[in-house]
Structure formats: C-alpha cells, structure tokens
Amino acid sequence: MEKSILEVAATYPAAFRQMDTNLIDVYFTKTATKTGFIFDYENDKWLDISTVKIPEIKEWVAVFNKEGIMPDSLPEIKILDAQDRIAVVKLEMEWLTDKKGCDYILLIKEDSQWKIESIIYQSVL
C-alpha cells in the first residue's frame, strides 16, 4: 500500500517537470484542487491564496517547465498517515533553482486505485 501511495504522489511533480497533462488525468480525481501560497521573491511578499481545479492545474502543468526551469533534484516524499481509503503525504522539493516548496497531498482510494484529491502548498523561505 505504501509503495503505491508514494508512486502516485510522485506523479504530481513529474507531471510538472514533464509537462504531461495525462498524468493529471490518470492520477488525480476529477474534483481535485490545488490550494496554496507562492512567495514573490522579486517583490519580497506573499501572493494571495490561490485555488485551482483540474482545468487550471492542467494548464499550469502544460507550461510550467517550458523553459526547463525545474531542477533535476528529486522530491522528498513522506507518508504522514495512511488508512484503508485515505492518505496524507508531505512532499518537499526544489521547484525552481534555490526555491523550495512544501506540499501536503491528500489521496483517496477510488476503485482500488490511489488518486490525488487535494494539494495544499506554500513556498518555503
């Protein structure tokens, strides 16, 4: 069970790195959301909270790494809790050179397949 949870959680940054929206179709629920806070380093301030749903997540995935901005570093993924049908994973990684993020990924087991239901994230200063 833990291996499949970690594998599904790893598809999230992989989708952004590879700009592969098919990973979103396969490993996210149709109602998944991504909510969080990004720090604007140029203006030294937090941006307003942002919540996006599947269409916007796919748009973001399709362009985020277009110029190869994501480092090749691997994410640190740790299961915080796993039950029969729900799991919580913490993912920390360098999304941009010297710019880390912390994401909490909530997964549900749907038709015997783990899927990402929600992501809560923020930049790490």
Side-chain angles (χ1 to χ4, degrees), residues 1-52:
M1 174 170 75
E2 287 186 4
K3 182 180 177 192
S4 58
I5 292 168
L6 293 171
E7 287 173 354
V8 171
T11 65
Y12 157 55
F16 278 84
R17 181 173 280 118
Q18 300 164 17
M19 298 183 304
D20 186 349
T21 59
N22 292 321
L23 291 174
I24 305 302
D25 291 331
V26 174
Y27 295 104
F28 281 57
T29 66
K30 295 187 183 337
T31 58
T33 59
K34 180 173 163 70
T35 299
F37 299 91
I38 295 174
F39 190 78
D40 179 348
Y41 292 93
E42 289 179 21
N43 295 305
D44 196 33
K45 68 176 189 170
W46 287 98
L47 300 178
D48 290 337
I49 189 169
S50 166
T51 298
V52 292

Side-chain angles (χ1 to χ4, degrees), residues 105-120:
I105 305 168
L106 296 115
L107 300 97
I108 62 170
K109 197 169 201 179
E110 188 177 79
D111 300 325
S112 73
Q113 164 85 35
W114 285 102
K115 295 204 173 198
I116 296 171
E117 172 63 23
S118 181
I119 299 167
I120 300 173

Side-chain angles (χ1 to χ4, degrees), residues 83-98:
Q83 301 294 324
D84 295 331
R85 304 288 308 267
I86 61 172
V88 179
V89 172
K90 181 179 182 181
L91 182 143
E92 290 184 282
M93 70 175 282
E94 192 177 24
W95 286 92
L96 304 168
T97 301
D98 298 324

Side-chain angles (χ1 to χ4, degrees), residues 76-80 88-92 102-105:
E76 295 175 33
I77 305 173
K78 180 168 73 170
I79 297 173
L80 300 179
V88 179
V89 172
K90 181 179 182 181
L91 182 143
E92 290 184 282
C102 176
D103 301 65
Y104 290 93
I105 305 168

